[in-house]
Amino acid sequence: MGQRLLDISVQEARRAGILKSKKIKVALDTTPVFGRGALKDTYNLVADGIKAVAGELARASGERPQEWAARHDLSRYWRGSVKGQADIDWSQEKERRAFLGALVADVNRVLVFADRALAQMSPEDPQARAIRQASDLLRQLVEQDVDRSAQEPRLKEGVARDRVLSVTDPEMRHGHKSASRRFDGYKLALAVEPVSQIITALKTLPANAPDSRDALDLVKASENTTGAPVEKAIGDCAYGDGATRCAFARENRTLVAKLPSPPRDEPCHKACFHIDLVNGRVTCPAGHTTTDFDYVTPRKAAGAIGPRPAVKRFRFPAELCGACPLASRCLQEKNKQGGRVVTLHPQEHLLQEARAYQKTEAFRQDQLDRQTVEHRIARLCQLGIRQSRYFGRAKTELQCVLTAVVANLTRILGVLSRQAQSSMAAANRLLTLFLQALLRILCPDHPVWFLPSLRGPSLSLIGR
C-alpha cells in the first residue's frame, strides 16, 4: 500500500518536469534503521520466549496469563527480570550453570504443554498457529545461545549467525556499517535518480544482510515506478563483489562500483600483476611471465548459495621468485619456500573491466552522481528514519516509504519554488494527492474521490 504513495510522488515529479529523462541512472546505498524491539541478554531473552509461549497457551484455555503461569509454577516470569531475581553469585560458573539448567528445564516443560495443546487443535486454527510460532521462536532462542550437548547446559561461545535479538521484534538482527560500528535492527536500501534527486525505490533488509542484496530488484522497481529504463546503476564498494556484478551482467545491465584499493601493507598485491585472460598468462611486477596453472575450487563465502565454480591458479617457479629482488615484498611467509601464487576470481573478467573503467573520466562523474543518494539519506535521517517507530520489518518498511514520499514531495516543491512561476497551486496539488492516496490506504472501504484544495498553510504541513 505504501508503494502506491511512492509511485504517486515519482509520477508527480515527472509531471512537473523534474524527472524528465527517457533513460535514467540510479544511485544505490544502504543506511541503518535501529529496531524498536527490546534487546536482552540470553537469560532474559529465553525467559521472554517462555513467557510468550505461556501467554498463547493461556489465551487458548481462556485464562489470564498470570493465572495459567501460577498453575504451572511459572509465576516468576511475570515478576520482572529473571536474572535480577536470581540470588546467585554470578562470578561462580557452577551457580550460573545451575541457574541456566533451571531455565532450560522450564523451557522443556512449557514446550511439552505446547505440544499437548497443539495435538488437540486443528492446524488451521489461528490460535494453534500462534502457539506454534511462539514455540518455534523459543526453540530458536535456546538453540542459538545454549549448548545442551553436555550433561549440564552452558552458554555457547561467540554469536550465532542470524541470531534473534528480541522476542518483541524477532526480525531484528545485528548489523555492521564498519568493523567498529555495530547496530541492531534493519538496513534501508534505496535507489535515487541523481539528476532530480527523487527516491525511486526502497527496500528494508535484515541488518546482517550484505548491502548489495536485492540491488537488481531495486533497479527493476525503479523502472516500474518511473516508467523509464535504467541505463546505469551506481554503488559504492559494497556493490562491487563478483556475484553482484555477475547478476547484473547476466541481464545485460551496467553496474558501476568502485573496487577497493590494495592494502598498503601488501606492495605486490594481485592488482599489481598483469593478467592476460585471452592468452592465459600472468606477468608479475618484476616482468616475469608464467603460463603454469591448475584449477582449484575456492572456499565458499559466508551466505553464498550453490557450488562455486573452479578457477585458475597461476604459479611462478620457486627458483625464479627466490632470485627476484622483489621476493621479500612479494612472497608471503607461507610461500617463502615456493613461488608466488595468483588465484583468479570467478568473475575476473568483470573485475578487470571495472578496474579499467575506474581510470576514465566517466567513472569520476559517476562517483559525483553517487553522492546524491548520500544526500537523500541525510534528508531521510532529518525526517526521523534512523529509529523505527514500529515492530517488525513490514511496518518499518512502511515508515521508510512514507518518509521517502515526504522527502520526494519537499524536493519537488523546492525545485518549483525556485522557478519563475508561482508554486502555490503546485503545492496544493501535491498535498491533495498525498492526502487522497493516504486516505485511500487507511480507509479502503470508504474511497476518497474528492478532497478540497488546501490554502496557504498547506506548505508548512508538507515541510513537516
Side-chain angles (χ1 to χ4, degrees):
M1 293 187 296
Q3 183 63 38
R4 299 179 194 171
L5 287 173
L6 186 62
D7 291 346
I8 287 174
S9 69
V10 175
Q11 292 164 10
E12 191 64 22
R14 186 169 289 282
R15 194 196 70 83
I18 298 171
L19 183 63
K20 52 189 175 182
S21 301
K22 293 183 179 180
K23 293 183 179 180
I24 63 172
K25 301 178 183 179
V26 291
L28 308 174
D29 205 353
T30 64
T31 190
V33 178
F34 304 143
R36 185 175 174 81
L39 301 176
K40 298 185 179 181
D41 59 30
T42 296
Y43 302 102
N44 285 315
L45 193 60
V46 172
D48 282 354
I50 294 174
K51 191 174 177 181
V53 177
E56 295 298 341
L57 292 172
R59 276 185 279 275
S61 61
E63 297 179 78
R64 294 176 61 248
Q66 291 87 340
E67 295 173 354
W68 189 95
R71 285 199 303 108
H72 296 87
D73 192 25
L74 295 171
S75 295
R76 64 172 177 153
Y77 297 103
W78 271 262
R79 296 177 189 150
S81 168
V82 293
K83 187 176 180 181
Q85 299 174 46
D87 187 17
I88 67 172
D89 184 355
W90 289 99
S91 64
Q92 299 298 318
E93 183 179 359
K94 184 177 180 179
E95 294 189 37
R96 294 199 306 269
R97 287 190 184 179
F99 176 73
L100 182 61
L103 203 62
V104 172
D106 286 342
V107 169
N108 295 333
R109 281 201 306 126
V110 78
L111 288 177
V112 169
F113 295 143
D115 292 339
R116 289 175 181 173
L118 289 172
Q120 301 174 3
M121 303 171 70
S122 169
E124 289 75 22
D125 188 338
Q127 190 60 58
R129 288 198 297 269
I131 294 175
R132 192 177 301 108
Q133 289 175 357
S135 300
D136 291 344
L137 176 59
L138 178 56
R139 288 188 176 94
Q140 184 177 357
L141 293 175
V142 175
E143 179 65 26
Q144 69 184 11
D145 288 345
V146 181
D147 181 5
R148 293 192 282 182
S149 59
Q151 186 174 3
E152 279 187 310
R154 64 182 69 185
L155 294 181
K156 290 182 178 180
E157 295 291 336
V159 179
R161 178 172 176 79
D162 210 38
R163 182 177 184 268
V164 176
L165 313 179
S166 172
V167 171
T168 53
D169 190 351
E171 295 180 289
M172 287 173 51
R173 293 294 183 269
H174 291 306
H176 289 85
K177 281 302 286 182
S178 67
S180 59
R181 289 178 56 202
R182 198 195 84 178
F183 66 96
D184 303 310
Y186 305 95
K187 275 183 186 176
L188 172 62
L190 67 157
V192 176
E193 199 282 316
V195 178
S196 62
Q197 298 188 29
I198 293 294
I199 300 171
T200 57
L202 59 82
K203 191 170 186 178
T204 304
L205 308 175
N208 58 354
D211 287 7
S212 58
R213 174 170 159 179
D214 297 337
L216 196 54
D217 291 343
L218 285 177
V219 172
K220 294 177 180 178
S222 297
E223 291 181 334
N224 293 334
T225 302
T226 62
V230 175
E231 62 178 356
K232 185 183 293 185
I234 310 169
D236 56 16
C237 288
Y239 295 85
D241 61 286
T244 305
R245 294 183 187 276
C246 188
F248 274 76
R250 279 198 299 265
E251 299 201 10
N252 295 319
R253 294 181 179 273
T254 302
L255 172 65
V256 176
K258 184 178 180 180
L259 290 171
S261 302
R264 292 184 178 180
D265 58 351
E266 194 173 344
C268 291
H269 185 263
K270 171 187 165 182
C272 302
F273 287 69
H274 177 69
I275 302 173
D276 187 349
L277 297 176
V278 176
N279 298 305
R281 58 190 180 189
V282 175
T283 303
C284 73
H288 305 299
T289 300
T290 182
T291 58
D292 180 22
F293 68 88
D294 59 359
Y295 284 95
V296 295
T297 301
R299 288 184 299 175
K300 193 172 183 178
I305 300 175
R308 303 201 70 182
V311 296
K312 288 182 177 181
R313 180 176 58 185
F314 285 84
R315 293 183 177 277
F316 286 85
E319 58 275 11
L320 182 65
C321 290
C324 180
L326 299 179
S328 60
R329 295 188 297 167
C330 184
L331 293 179
Q332 298 179 356
E333 191 64 34
K334 61 182 180 181
N335 292 331
K336 287 294 185 181
Q337 304 303 319
R340 176 63 187 261
V341 176
V342 176
T343 303
L344 304 192
H345 193 277
Q347 288 81 35
E348 186 67 40
H349 65 290
L350 296 178
L351 299 183
Q352 284 196 5
E353 293 174 2
R355 194 170 288 112
Y357 183 70
Q358 281 185 197
K359 301 176 182 178
T360 66
E361 184 62 33
F363 175 80
R364 284 186 280 273
Q365 181 58 49
D366 289 338
Q367 292 306 291
L368 293 176
D369 290 340
R370 196 197 67 80
Q371 294 177 9
T372 57
V373 69
E374 297 177 353
H375 300 160
R376 290 291 86 192
I377 287 176
R379 176 58 177 150
L380 292 177
C381 291
Q382 290 177 344
L383 295 171
I385 205 64
R386 184 64 75 215
Q387 176 67 58
S388 177
R389 302 181 183 183
Y390 308 104
F391 297 110
R393 185 148 61 114
K395 290 184 179 180
T396 299
E397 182 162 315
L398 179 59
Q399 175 188 340
C400 295
V401 169
L402 294 177
T403 309
V405 170
V406 173
N408 280 352
L409 294 181
T410 54
R411 173 64 184 168
I412 296 170
L413 283 176
V415 173
L416 292 178
S417 64
R418 290 193 293 271
Q419 296 177 356
Q421 61 190 35
S422 171
S423 63
M424 184 62 69
N428 288 336
R429 172 180 168 78
L430 288 177
L431 185 57
T432 300
L433 284 172
F434 177 76
L435 294 179
Q436 284 178 337
L438 185 59
L439 290 173
R440 286 194 184 100
I441 290 174
L442 298 178
C443 308
D445 297 330
H446 299 83
V448 180
W449 299 107
F450 173 75
L451 188 68
S453 293
L454 302 174
R455 304 297 177 186
S458 62
L459 285 173
S460 61
L461 286 176
I462 294 181
R464 287 199 292 270

